[in-house]
Amino acid sequence: MSSLRNALRFWSLLLSFVLAACTSVPRVSEYRFTEEYFSSRDSLLRYRLPLGWLNATSDSPSPNNIIWLVRSDFAVTLAVGEVVIDVETRREVNRTGLKRLAEVTLALASGDNGVNVVKPPALSSLRGTSVCTYEYLIGHPSDRIHVVLVDTGVRVYEVSALMTEKVNEDGVANIIAMQEAFVQNVLW
């Protein structure tokens, strides 16, 4: 009888190790960054580069990008730009959060072409920093853009991950996790 118990314990223990190995770990911890900090174009932000990404800030195609990173396979870019707001909008953001501002930036992004909204603006927090996220498809073939608006209390930044059609659904979740880890690592 004791050998049966020991065998059951062994297999139960083995099964629990296998199941523990298969469970997902929070994705934020999966992303590693360089030890070195870089300065944004405007010198107001300091950030670390995700491993496997290129710091292309000085070569950004848009002068509005104060940080521009490119994944080494060129299928994804991460751009950071300031959303310039007036005093009244700042008061509204302080009072109600970023959702209304996110709706406006989404409308501006759609322009005359329109966008296919995948995830409408939703408020949340990353390590105590107030953020609003949304996601949309644009172009043909469809590029996916996941946006995180970050309110530092003084400025609002838009952190946009542009994913080409080369990125599959599993890859999208990975990129969003990396983007959130990046936001949490920036010295705002």
Side-chain angles (χ1 to χ4, degrees), residues 134-150:
Y134 58 91
E135 191 172 319
Y136 60 93
L137 301 175
I138 193 165
H140 185 73
S142 291
D143 289 333
R144 182 182 296 251
I145 300 175
H146 186 269
V147 176
V148 178
L149 284 184
V150 180

Side-chain angles (χ1 to χ4, degrees), residues 62-126:
S62 170
N64 296 330
N65 292 341
I66 59 174
I67 299 172
W68 193 51
L69 309 179
V70 179
R71 196 169 73 178
S72 59
D73 66 358
F74 303 104
V76 184
T77 63
L78 188 74
V80 179
E82 183 179 352
V83 179
V84 179
I85 58 176
D86 60 14
V87 174
E88 182 57 37
T89 306
R90 167 44 67 197
R91 279 190 216 118
E92 183 180 338
V93 168
N94 288 344
R95 195 172 51 251
T96 63
L98 289 166
K99 190 169 183 182
R100 179 68 186 121
L101 184 59
E103 291 167 349
V104 171
T105 60
L106 178 58
L108 290 171
S110 70
D112 294 334
N113 302 329
V115 297
N116 182 9
V117 177
V118 176
K119 294 179 186 170
L123 295 172
S124 64
S125 169
L126 290 174

Side-chain angles (χ1 to χ4, degrees), residues 38-42 45 47-50 53-72 74-82 145 158-164 178 182 186:
F38 298 90
S39 290
S40 60
R41 273 187 178 170
D42 62 2
L45 305 178
Y47 62 95
R48 295 178 358 184
L49 189 64
W53 287 67
L54 309 169
N55 188 358
T57 299
S58 61
D59 299 322
S60 174
S62 170
N64 296 330
N65 292 341
I66 59 174
I67 299 172
W68 193 51
L69 309 179
V70 179
R71 196 169 73 178
S72 59
F74 303 104
V76 184
T77 63
L78 188 74
V80 179
E82 183 179 352
I145 300 175
E158 181 179 84
V159 182
S160 301
L162 179 126
M163 299 166 261
T164 66
M178 187 285 305
F182 176 82
V186 172

